[in-house]
Each structure stands twice: as C-alpha cells, then as structure tokens.
Amino acid sequence: MPRISKSSDALVVVLAVTCVALTSQQSDAQGRGAGPSMKPSALRAIPAETTAAKAKDPNWKAPRTSWGHPDLEGTWTSDDMRGIPTSRPADQGERESLTPEEFVRRAGGDEASRDRAVNQETILRNEFGVRTFGYTSFIVDPPNGQMPALTQAALARRKTIANQGTFGGGPWDDFDDFTLYDRCITRGVPGSVMPVLYGNGLRIMQTPNEVVISYEMVHDTRVIPLDPSTLREPQGRPEQGRGTTSSGLPRAESRGDGRPHIGAGIKQYIGDARGHFEGDTLVVETTNFTNKTAVNGAPHSEKLKLTEWFTRIDPQMIDYRFRVEDPDTFTAPFTMRLTITEQPGYQLYEYSCHEGNTAVGQALSGERAYEKQVAEANAKGLPIPPRTTGMEVYSGAPVEGRQPVREIGFK
C-alpha cells in the first residue's frame, strides 16, 4: 500500500484496517499462548469454562426477564477468546479441551499479552480478557475441529477479490476496490463477534417481542423478531448448540408478531433473522444474506443460512454457538463455539467510523502517487518501484517482494 510509507495519515489508516489481519492470526495452531509467558492471575489459572455456574451445578437456572424469558441482557465481549485458534491442531484429534500442560502454556501467554496491552502499549492498544478458556478450537463440529474445504466456486470467488481492500495489493481506482469493512459498513455476521484487536463488545437488549444485538465495531445492530409461540423444548444435537437445558422449564409467551422471513429476492448485509427460545437457549435463524461479506475469510454465497444459539451458563458468561450452512461455499456445514463474557468496567462507545477514517481517500490518492512513480521510472528506464504494505506493523515480519515499512510504536 503506497500511502503507508508516504502519508502523514498512515497511522489512522493502519488503525482502521487492523482487525482483519488479527482475525487471520487467530487461526494459528498454537493460539497466542505460544509467545512470551507470565505467571497467570488467580482468575486465569483455572480453565474458565469449568468455573461457570452451569458447569458446577447442572441444575443452575438462568435468570428470567419480568415477562419470563431467559435474561441475556448486558454488555458482553469475546476478549476472553483471543488465545483460541479457529481450527484445532491435528495432534489434538477430536479433543475439545486442552491438557493441563497445554492450558498452562496458553494461560501464561494470555497473561503476558494482557500485561503488554495494559502496561506497555499506547495508541495501538490490544484488548485482552481476564480469563483463559481451555477450548482447543472454535470449531466443534465436525468433531475433528477442522474447517471444511471450500468449494471450487468459493475458491474462484476468493481469488477474484484477493487484492481487494486495504489488506490487498491494489490497484485502488474506485469504491468497488474496497471491502465493506474498509468503508465502515459492516463486518458481517458472525464476523462481528469474532475476537480481533479491539472493539469485541456487543450489547444485548430484550423486549417481549424482540431481541436486539448491537455490535461495538462498525456499529451494526440486529433487531430479531421472536416467534409468538410459547417456549419450546430443547432439541437437536448438543454440538449444534441445542440440548443444553433440561425439560420442565417455566413457560412464557414470546408475544412476537410471527412475521415470516422477507421475500427471497431481498438480500441484506446481515441477513434477515428470526428467533425463538428453546428452554434457556435463544435460537436465531438468519437467511437472505447478500454475497458481499465473508465467514472466516471465505466470501459466502447468497445461500448462506446461519443458526445461532445463545445460552446463559453463568451470571457473567453466555455460551454462543453458530452453525454455517452454505453449499455454494463450504463442502460441509460446520459449527463454532465461543463463550462471550462480561469484563470489568467494559463499556461500549460510539464507533465513529466513515470510509475507514480517511483509509479510502488515502488509498485512492496513494494509488495516484504510485502511478506517478511508475511513470517517472519508465521515463528514466528504471525498475518499477514495488508496492508497499502496512502489515509489518502488526506481524513484525517482512513481506516478500514488498518494501519494508517502519514500524509505528515498536522498536
């Protein structure tokens, strides 16, 4: 990206585009526990999932709203998930939990990462939670924890957009050369929950008729109408997020209006969602997506169906699972599991972002500057100057074939 090495606004651009790179780093097999280590705090020294109220007492019941629904309201984040890889390391097989030795390594790495964020970093601030979970991967189905392969059609789509956006190689000539994230339009669903550099919060609000989920980064808000029927009994397979509560729960009217999904010809960035309760679990089914967003870096098709399960398992924890079904993109469905949690003093503020806070304008002007450099090189019979990238700021590693960029805020 030529503008990074030439523009005084480079830092603004860097901050605007960081999250996508950090998302891809989460797929590293070792997670963040493989870096520098510190002695974990008392809270972090125990796998957090084993401390949940539901884990300690299977008969624990989630609190209820005044109208009888399971109470999911609050401000939550995925910051405690920063150390977990998306796909499971092959040597862990179908094991969903770390061994004690593996957990100690991850907890020590998480503690060091939080200490660095709190006590060393400045404006390039990472957000890390206060707990460490012992999950081997986000993916829990298929049982081996591996992401299903992409279809040939999906591979072709990904190749088409490989250079798109501020994380691509250019060129940048108009708005279509930028991603929706670059332009501060959306991170998509479920991308808005996945843990990245910062801005991992979400606020859940409830009425008798709807559940409202407002995401911190890029400020998407989903208003999810509820099925008007009474609470349903849990059903389905546990790894799909269902079957997590027992029968005999108090029943309550959803009082939703029962509206059907919008017409099949209408597509939306975050889809069209409908929800209902099964025991303690809110189940949300979303269809009518555009093909403009992605799931785990793979641009999905308009056939995407997303099913989500929200189950409160502790006063400070919600088990969140989602199942991705898109036969035009993935060769098989898959399910991911996170635990979103409360963090001390965490608040959601306005995410003031428009067109990447100058990222789009800087990329376009940088492209014109690069074209001028190329023209001058051609006129003088000199080699064409290579493009630059700003990713070294985060990875600390050079990018082959591109000029190194001076790191900002790092030695």
Side-chain angles (χ1 to χ4, degrees):
M1 293 183 289
R3 68 192 185 289
I4 294 296
S5 59
K6 299 176 175 61
S7 170
S8 61
D9 287 332
L11 182 58
V12 176
V13 176
V14 167
L15 291 174
V17 302
T18 303
C19 295
V20 179
L22 266 294
T23 301
S24 66
Q25 290 177 12
Q26 289 297 319
S27 64
D28 291 343
Q30 297 302 317
R32 286 189 169 268
S37 184
M38 290 182 62
K39 180 180 179 181
S41 66
L43 180 60
R44 197 185 295 283
I46 303 172
E49 66 272 23
T50 67
T51 70
K54 191 72 174 178
K56 294 192 291 186
D57 178 9
N59 294 318
W60 183 82
K61 303 296 183 185
R64 288 313 204 248
T65 64
S66 60
W67 54 88
H69 287 166
D71 189 348
L72 302 170
E73 289 198 323
T75 298
W76 310 92
T77 88
S78 58
D79 282 347
D80 284 334
M81 301 285 102
R82 286 290 301 273
I84 301 172
T86 297
S87 291
R88 187 175 307 147
D91 61 359
Q92 293 174 338
E94 296 188 358
R95 177 161 50 88
E96 292 190 9
S97 297
L98 298 176
T99 65
E101 294 77 17
E102 291 169 338
F103 178 80
V104 168
R105 288 196 295 271
R106 177 182 289 172
D110 286 353
E111 189 70 28
S113 294
R114 180 171 173 82
D115 177 74
R116 183 175 64 252
V118 172
N119 297 315
Q120 300 178 39
E121 294 176 355
T122 54
I123 57 173
L124 196 60
R125 169 67 185 269
N126 278 275
E127 294 291 345
F128 286 90
V130 296
R131 308 169 186 83
T132 291
F133 284 74
Y135 304 148
T136 51
S137 61
F138 288 139
I139 297 178
V140 292
D141 188 35
N144 65 3
Q146 301 299 307
M147 178 75 65
L150 296 180
T151 64
Q152 290 300 313
L155 290 170
R157 289 198 303 272
R158 189 166 67 175
K159 184 177 181 180
T160 300
I161 65 170
N163 286 323
Q164 185 184 48
T166 51
F167 276 68
W172 299 287
D173 296 320
D174 57 43
F175 285 106
D176 289 336
D177 295 328
F178 299 90
T179 66
L180 296 177
Y181 176 73
D182 286 329
R183 301 180 61 191
C184 303
I185 294 174
T186 185
R187 289 176 64 200
V189 182
S192 294
V193 180
M194 300 305 292
V196 289
L197 181 71
Y198 64 89
N200 296 317
L202 64 152
R203 180 182 291 117
I204 299 178
M205 297 157 282
Q206 294 173 252
T207 76
N209 303 316
E210 299 98 1
V211 174
V212 180
I213 304 176
S214 185
Y215 301 103
E216 181 174 15
M217 186 179 291
V218 198
H219 47 252
D220 275 329
T221 295
R222 302 165 70 195
V223 179
I224 303 168
L226 295 175
D227 189 298
S229 63
T230 57
L231 288 174
R232 305 177 188 175
E233 291 298 321
Q235 52 187 287
R237 297 191 297 162
E239 69 268 26
Q240 293 181 337
R242 304 179 185 229
T244 55
T245 58
S246 61
S247 59
L249 292 168
R251 290 190 173 274
E253 291 291 340
S254 292
R255 290 185 252 175
D257 56 16
R259 73 188 76 170
H261 278 286
I262 57 178
I266 302 174
K267 309 297 181 181
Q268 303 183 132
Y269 290 138
I270 57 176
D272 184 55
R274 297 292 182 269
H276 65 270
F277 285 98
E278 295 182 2
D280 277 353
T281 300
L282 170 66
V283 183
V284 179
E285 296 180 348
T286 307
T287 57
N288 297 77
F289 287 98
T290 70
N291 59 0
K292 305 296 184 183
T293 58
V295 174
N296 293 322
H300 60 73
S301 76
E302 294 181 351
K303 294 182 180 179
L304 172 65
K305 177 183 177 182
L306 183 72
T307 306
E308 302 163 277
W309 296 270
F310 299 79
T311 307
R312 193 151 187 182
I313 57 174
D314 186 89
Q316 297 185 342
M317 300 182 191
I318 291 178
D319 182 84
Y320 173 63
R321 303 183 184 223
F322 60 88
R323 186 163 182 82
V324 174
E325 299 173 77
D326 184 356
D328 278 4
T329 303
F330 300 99
T331 54
F334 62 94
T335 302
M336 298 178 69
R337 182 246 342 253
L338 295 80
T339 301
I340 56 175
T341 58
E342 291 184 349
Q343 297 292 323
Y346 199 102
Q347 298 183 54
L348 267 64
Y349 293 98
E350 178 188 6
Y351 192 81
S352 299
C353 181
H354 177 67
E355 302 296 359
N357 293 336
T358 76
V360 172
Q362 292 293 340
L364 292 171
S365 63
E367 186 68 30
R368 306 292 80 76
Y370 178 71
E371 289 171 351
K372 183 178 179 181
Q373 288 181 337
V374 171
E376 291 174 349
N378 285 331
K380 297 176 181 179
L382 298 175
I384 300 299
R387 292 178 176 272
T388 58
T389 175
M391 295 307 98
E392 299 95 320
V393 174
Y394 312 106
S395 66
V399 178
E400 183 179 356
R402 294 179 177 175
Q403 294 177 352
V405 178
R406 180 180 61 84
E407 295 182 344
I408 300 174
F410 296 88
K411 295 181 180 179

